[in-house]
Amino acid sequence: MLARKMAPAGLALALAVAGTPAAHAEFRPTKTLELVVHSGPGGGNDILGRALIAAIEDAKLSPVRIQINNKVGGGGASAAAYLAEKKGDPNVIGVFTSVWVTNPLAQAEANVGIRELTPISMLVLEPAVIVVRADSPYKTMKDLIEGAKANPGKLKQSGGSVLARDAVVRQVLMSSTGARWAFISFPSGGERISALLGGHVDMMVIEPAEAGELIRSGKLRALAQVTDERLEQFKEIPTLKEAGIDVPTVPQPRGILGPPGMPADAVAYYEELLAKAAKSPGWQKFVRDNLLQSVVLKSKETGAFLADYESQMRAILTQAGVKLVR
Amino acid sequence: MDVINGLAHGFGVALMPVNLMWCFVGCFLGTIVGILPGLGPAATIAMLMPLTYGMGPASGIIMLAGIYYGAKYGGSTTSILLNMPGESSSVVTCLDGYQMARRGRAGAALGIAAIASFIAGSFGIFALTLVAPPIAAFALSFSSPEYFALMFLGLALVVLLSGDSLIKGLIALLIGLWLTSIGTDLFTTQSRFTFGQSSLLGGVDFMIVAIGVFAIAEVLSSIKAGEETQVLPVPKGLRNLLPSMAELKACRFAFANGSITGFIIGVLPGAGSSIASFISYGIEKAVSKHPEKFGTGIPEGVAAPEGANNADTGGALVPLLTLGIPGGGTTAILLSALVLWGVKPGPLMMQDSPDVFWGLVASLYIGNVMLLVLNLPMVPLFAQILRIPVYILHPLIFGISIIGAYSVSSNLFDIGLLAGFGLLGYVMSVLKYPVSPLILGFVLGDAMERALRQSLMMSQGELSILVSRPISAAMLVIAVLILLSPLLPRFRKLRRDAIAEEG
């Protein structure tokens, strides 16, 4: 998936965890656990967090209640800062996504980097599909890239922040093909899709769950999926590589981390809890319904993945001309 | 007729006793959530979603939607009684609602809010039933240039017809525009006016500004005025606690305005119910025969925005149910609830899940009646709150305001901001600066800036994109006419005559 360049921090942590194999017997939560998410009720991370809690409660995996805590603001910065304050606390965990990695790189105020927090477990990767309107002249990825090359800077993509995954995918595609097109930010998914459906922009890099029904009803056409292998639900859509564009497929990762300096026995406890939760029927249904890929990694692999992801993002954002502060 | 068959089927679903019960539960919870400032429908629906897992999609969505539109009914209560908006969509209701309460017409204002909500809410649902697919297509033709023109029109409507001093209004507007630009810039991810505070990266929440400049400032002002012995008048007798025929008659146009404006703006994914309520208030004021009376406590000033924020519900459900596109936070969580039950919101939902689609639509009609029946009898009861002596009421308002501000994002920093905005509102009232342009600038400014920049990105920097598209051009022309109208007394007279003939 991603080239594994083991970062020193990840390695040290890996050793720490590996050195305490029986540690999970030591930590046992005795009070209500807190699950910190960075979006408000209804946001992607909030929904994921609530689904996780529901799956855990359904399968009776936790002896105590788990409560969601919405620390909204700064695209993850408030939530990360809150976790950093809880240094060493075994009763608080949080849901991370790619903005936890990219925001601290670009924003001086977001001063808690992803590697300061304790990685616990990767849970899912969210794939993406590249879509155009059904009446678009572009039938394949090749058409789209040729079209963009013929009209440099004229085609438009609607998306979120320039730090978000859809902007990163555009950057990767542009630098590998030499085509150029505009990226127009909209704050909500609804506005992005409306701009595409109304014909005001030409394309989107979108989560399969958001686009699924619009593709099925023939309003949008998917040109490629940003995945390594074809997804179950989109058997007929080629992957980027199959469409002739061999670039790293930038995933949107979501998983769980803890405050800095979380005790190793607590990390081991949550690793085990999440591994069980990931197998629970409630969680598997959530993953299926939202067209996610279940990728469960342990603490040390999650740490290595995040370190890797950070250097990958750093390179892509620098190339995109985003001013990095760290 | 498909619609009639569908609706008949839907009533079959919605009138099942179990669904009637869930509809009532949703509406009731929604009313309470609406009354409590800070606690919004999105948070409540998120919390209650796990309880609906076992319910089945039709019952579940009927209940959760009840919370959504019920909250809009309840939001006006504290706006009117305490100058403390319960929801962001009821902020503008403070302007005239609270002034009505101060004049002893609290009951009438609450009654008008409930009746306007019912009329416009029902209109919104009716329009959703009949014209959902074509109106969704219209919404898609709306993009950034049109949003810019709409926001510009909104600013033109209220600012130039507001207050005694245009300069003071414009200064207040600029403060609002500045406050809304605090936070992370969407297009460059650069932070603006955050002063190194990570708590400001996400910007300032609208509810905190509104509760500060309305509720806190009002308490501070009345402390200064030494109102400790003076309790707001609450007339005795049921008849004096409900709106009079004359007041209802004055609201005829406001009911229609709120219904249509609220529904159309509700359909647009880029404009929420607070924008709908402001624009309908602006339209009401622009066409009124006595615009100078707005802000002094007139029933139209309550009926138009309260109608608009309820008609908005029907509008917001159009893109959700026909395209699977959520327009805001609350509809986004309704969407995820539907996905959870295995219903796929999108163009095929009407065929694939007729029970859920038509059951929900039918339940909206029923829910609106329930809310009216639930809310009207509460009016005389709620009006009694004003009998509480100020030495109890004021600390209570402070307490509820602080809890409300904290519950927005559980951040203590927000309480400091609340105090700051309370002082700002107080200073503004001492210096006789109007507060409504500030709020308006805050609500529209953010969306207007975004739309302008998106338009210019679409056109590669050509300003002509704003006038070369028909809908955008038409709205800009109307906005310019409104801006010029004070300079053209003759035009103004003509316009009033025209309104007089219609009315």
Side-chain angles (χ1 to χ4, degrees), chain B residues 72 76 89 92-93 112-124 254-263 273 276-277 280 300-314:
Chain B
K72 294 194 177 164
S76 59
S89 55
V92 67
T93 310
I112 284 169
I115 293 166
S117 297
F118 174 74
I119 294 176
S122 303
F123 173 84
F255 293 144
N257 164 22
S259 301
I260 297 168
T261 312
F263 179 74
S273 56
S277 60
S280 75
E300 303 97 289
V302 174
E306 276 307 309
N309 70 34
N310 282 279
D312 171 88
T313 309

Side-chain angles (χ1 to χ4, degrees), chain A residues 41-42 47 50 71 74 107 109 153-154 156 162-163 183-187 190 194 198 200 213-214 216-217 285, chain B residues 43 46 140-141 143 184 187 189 191 194 198 201-202 269 325 333 336 340 344 347 352 410 450 454 457-458 460 469:
Chain A
I47 290 170
R50 288 177 199 274
K71 284 285 175 192
Q107 289 195 304
E109 292 86 345
K154 291 258 196 258
K156 290 162 289 231
V162 290
L163 298 177
F183 184 82
I184 303 181
S185 300
F186 290 84
S194 302
H200 309 287
E213 281 304 288
L214 293 168
R216 194 163 76 94
S217 62
K285 180 176 180 319
Chain B
L140 291 180
S141 70
S143 192
T184 306
F187 300 91
T189 71
S191 49
T194 53
S198 68
L201 277 178
I325 296 177
I333 196 151
S336 64
L340 205 84
K344 293 179 176 154
D352 290 357
S410 356
R450 232 171 22 225
Q454 285 160 349
M457 287 164 101
M458 286 179 180
Q460 298 187 299
R469 298 163 57 121

